[in-house]
């Protein structure tokens, strides 16, 4: 059961990478994607980590809300 939940979680995370347009932007280059994610992780560990994470969360929520509105229309 845990393995299935973990697999689903990983698939959802991959879907977010796709939804954000990163696959197309990087021409599906996994080294570039990994480097970008490492850069993001470094920023999230920086001195202004709280501000960075709050900004990302606001942007993500807005994007999800916009997507929900579009799908309802």
């Amino acid at each position: 059961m845990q393995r299935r939940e973990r697999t689903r979680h990983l698939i959802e995370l991959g879907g977010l990478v796709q939804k954000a347009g990163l696959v197309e932007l990087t021409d599906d280059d996994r080294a570039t994607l990994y480097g970008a994610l490492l850069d993001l992780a470094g920023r999230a560990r920086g001195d202004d980590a709280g501000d960075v994470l709050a900004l990302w969360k606001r942007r993500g929520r807005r994007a999800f809300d916009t997507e929900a509105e579009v799908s309802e229309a």
Side-chain angles (χ1 to χ4, degrees):
M1 189 66 147
Q2 287 179 341
R3 188 170 155 186
R4 187 179 309 145
E5 289 174 12
R6 180 178 182 275
T7 299
R8 179 177 174 86
H9 182 73
L10 293 173
I11 289 169
E12 289 173 350
L13 292 173
L16 291 173
V17 170
Q18 175 75 35
K19 185 179 275 199
L22 293 173
V23 175
E24 293 80 21
L25 284 172
T26 62
D27 199 27
D28 200 14
D29 182 335
R30 293 190 168 98
T32 302
L33 282 168
Y34 187 42
L37 293 170
L38 289 172
D39 185 60
L40 289 172
R43 291 178 192 209
R45 290 186 185 101
D47 294 336
D48 59 347
D51 294 336
V52 168
L53 291 170
L55 172 67
W56 293 348
K57 184 179 276 191
R58 279 194 312 271
R59 286 181 180 168
R61 284 190 177 152
R62 269 191 243 130
F64 279 134
D65 291 345
T66 300
E67 182 180 303
E69 290 172 7
V70 168
S71 67
E72 288 176 1

